[in-house]
Amino acid sequence: MIKLVIFDQDGVLVTPKSTWRLVKEQNDLDDLFAVKSLLRLNPKEEHGIELGLLTGLPKSVFEEVARTVPLEPHVEETIAALFDMGIEVHIVTLAPDVIARGVAARVNEKFEKDNFIRVHAPIALFNTDDKLVGILAFPNKAFKHASHILDGNEMDKVKVIKRIISRLHVRKDEVLFVGDGYDVEVAKAFPTIAYKSEDPNFYSHAIKRANDLSEVVEYVKQVNFSSNREKQKLL
């Protein structure tokens, strides 16, 4: 019985593989980040450069990306169908919370009402002038300095999902993760649907490949129907 569906955001709920890249491109920072990648830097040096490039960006830049980023086909219908089945829906993403919450609001008009999507994302920190001053990791993971830019190696989605299911008292076999190929360790740890993934290292660990989000709904229906039928046999 599936009780919880967790979506990655970029490349799954929204079409672009990286909303961070959209932020960089729209502010003419992409070339600077490309130059940085050619340098031989240790992680601390990389973080310092990234912070210098991103610091000062207005909050409105991130909000605009959340408003305009293209959504994947059938995403609203998928979320609505899952809610209709009584499934809890979460997003776990590397995108900053200001973007993730904006996307969540778009894909579910009942956001923060009766049914709402819970968002787990790095926290974008803004000063009183709404200018970016830093990025913190997921809640419950503290850094000594707020001026810290997060990279993918510093955030463990497996640990985040373990915290989620522990709080919800959901078993591992009652959760379904939907990702696009960058979360191999998640696919190894939890039942996963590989969404539009061409990476065999990812989809080889998945329970199913899908090219449309509606397939997620159909899979949940099949699993829960089979589970309910088995329960009825035991009565």
Side-chain angles (χ1 to χ4, degrees), residues 100-118:
R101 294 183 186 281
V103 169
R106 287 177 60 195
V107 303
N108 176 28
E109 63 181 13
K110 293 182 179 180
F111 184 58
E112 293 186 343
K113 294 183 181 178
D114 296 335
N115 292 320
F116 63 95
I117 303 170
R118 298 183 185 274

Side-chain angles (χ1 to χ4, degrees), residues 8 92-94 155-162 183 186:
D8 186 16
V92 173
T93 178
L94 280 168
M155 184 169 62
D156 190 336
K157 287 186 179 180
V158 173
K159 290 182 180 179
V160 174
I161 295 173
K162 284 181 177 179
D183 298 298
V186 178

Side-chain angles (χ1 to χ4, degrees), residues 20-21 24-35:
W20 268 117
R21 180 171 292 279
K24 297 169 187 176
E25 289 175 348
Q26 292 182 15
N27 291 274
D28 298 320
L29 295 175
D30 211 39
D31 289 342
L32 293 175
F33 272 82
V35 171

Side-chain angles (χ1 to χ4, degrees), residues 14 19 30 39 45 57 70 73 87 92 111-112 134 157 182 186 192 229:
V14 302
T19 47
D30 211 39
L39 303 175
E45 291 171 330
L57 286 181
I87 307 297
V92 173
F111 184 58
E112 293 186 343
K157 287 186 179 180
Y182 292 96
V186 178
T192 295
R229 186 169 56 184

Side-chain angles (χ1 to χ4, degrees), residues 2-73:
I2 296 173
K3 298 180 179 179
L4 168 67
V5 176
I6 300 176
F7 290 93
D8 186 16
Q9 174 186 276
D10 296 354
V12 178
L13 298 179
V14 302
T15 301
K17 294 293 186 180
S18 173
T19 47
W20 268 117
R21 180 171 292 279
L22 292 182
V23 171
K24 297 169 187 176
E25 289 175 348
Q26 292 182 15
N27 291 274
D28 298 320
L29 295 175
D30 211 39
D31 289 342
L32 293 175
F33 272 82
V35 171
K36 181 217 68 173
S37 67
L38 298 176
L39 303 175
R40 294 182 177 179
L41 303 173
N42 62 45
K44 185 175 181 180
E45 291 171 330
E46 284 196 18
H47 294 154
I49 290 177
E50 290 182 356
L51 180 60
L53 292 173
L54 294 171
T55 294
L57 286 181
K59 187 177 183 180
S60 59
V61 167
F62 298 88
E63 292 172 335
E64 180 65 15
V65 168
R67 281 194 299 267
T68 60
V69 62
L71 301 176
E72 275 292 276

Side-chain angles (χ1 to χ4, degrees), residues 2 5 7 73-87 89 176 178 193 195 208 210 212-225:
I2 296 173
V5 176
F7 290 93
H74 307 130
V75 61
E76 297 102 326
E77 297 92 331
T78 296
I79 300 300
L82 291 172
F83 280 143
D84 286 343
M85 288 187 284
I87 307 297
V89 178
L176 177 67
V178 184
I193 289 182
Y195 181 71
K208 175 180 172 61
D212 191 290
L213 287 173
S214 62
E215 296 177 61
V216 175
V217 176
E218 291 307 311
Y219 178 78
V220 173
K221 285 181 178 178
Q222 291 172 9
V223 171
N224 287 2
F225 176 79

Side-chain angles (χ1 to χ4, degrees), residues 179-184 187 192-195 197 199-206:
D180 68 335
Y182 292 96
D183 298 298
V184 175
T192 295
I193 289 182
Y195 181 71
S197 174
D199 180 5
N201 191 37
F202 178 66
Y203 65 67
S204 64
H205 297 288

